Amino acid sequence: MPGSLAPDTPARPGSAALDTAAARVAVPESPASAAPVADPVGPGGSSEARVVDGLVIPKHFDFTPLATSTRAALFGKLLTQPHAEPLDLDQVVDDLQTLIAGPFVDEFGNEAHAVPGEGSDLELWILGSSGGESARVAGARGLPFAANYHVAPAKVLEAVEAYRAAFRPSKTLSAPHVMVSADVVVAEDDDTAKELAIPYALWVRSIRSGGGAIPFPSVEESLAHQWTDEDRDLVADRLDTHFVGSPQTVAERLETLRRVTAADELLVTTITHDHADRVRSFELLAKEWIA
């Protein structure tokens, strides 16, 4: 893939591509990963947490209060022009593909050019958090699809199933291509990684409570927070699906995620208070994955 580092390096079982912001771990297709494990609950998710062939699928988090918060209303006001009507996703993708190929020509022969971007070798991906419009459009247009396990883990199986069901071959892809995301923290041993991951809960709380993401706190700041039952409910699904531990511990959990979703690639994100710990997390994981 464009932008990858060491794309031909043998990996567990594919090749690793890392930078200090995220890691893309490519996984070649094999008979064991030709199709995802069926979700026994089916589309729509569940109100209770469960484990599907070793993968934690937490209960669904309701984003409605967050989407209807006063902060969301503020940004909606700033970003939405009076009487504006958003295009449907299929039209947006069509316009983007036309701009990348260039030029964009209207019915009067007027041309618009994307500068930079026109004529470039860009990969157009669609990210989805459920089996809704994003998954269906990505599949129907034969585009690669990224399923959002790290933010909306309850719907990841629904998302990849809907994408594959809707897939039609295109000039871009002859078969479905799925990337699945995960939040991880890796350190030399499980205990060290768990300590580095302590602030994650407070940071997620700041987002889920509607106030917006705070600067990633220190361990000390996080331990000083007085947690309520409401706080714990806000972050439970993210903590249950946060892959934290030694390189072996995290690699094993990522392999389970890959196997159950039949992912072709994994998108790995890490956030810690100290940037050096973040970089070290990627280094340790990369070394373990390609071992």
Side-chain angles (χ1 to χ4, degrees), residues 57 189 210 217:
I57 303 294
D189 55 73

Side-chain angles (χ1 to χ4, degrees), residues 222-243:
S222 302
L223 291 175
H225 179 74
Q226 298 299 311
W227 286 85
T228 66
D229 289 341
E230 183 180 12
D231 285 341
R232 296 185 182 93
D233 287 341
L234 279 176
V235 304
D237 64 321
R238 296 287 296 274
L239 295 186
D240 289 344
T241 55
H242 194 202
F243 295 177

Side-chain angles (χ1 to χ4, degrees), residues 13 27-36 164 255 258-264:
V27 182
E29 184 177 347
S30 64
S33 63
R164 290 190 172 99
E255 172 58 23
R258 182 210 64 80
R259 173 175 49 78
V260 176
T261 61
D264 301 286

Side-chain angles (χ1 to χ4, degrees), residues 19-20 270 272 274-284:
D19 63 29
T20 56
T270 295
T272 58
D274 189 327
H275 183 66
D277 292 326
R278 186 185 192 191
V279 174
R280 182 61 174 158
S281 177
F282 283 128
E283 291 173 342
L284 290 169

Side-chain angles (χ1 to χ4, degrees), residues 53-74:
D53 199 26
L55 180 67
V56 174
I57 303 294
K59 68 178 183 180
H60 174 63
F61 177 81
D62 184 5
F63 286 92
T64 303
L66 185 59
T68 57
S69 67
T70 55
R71 188 171 188 272
L74 169 62

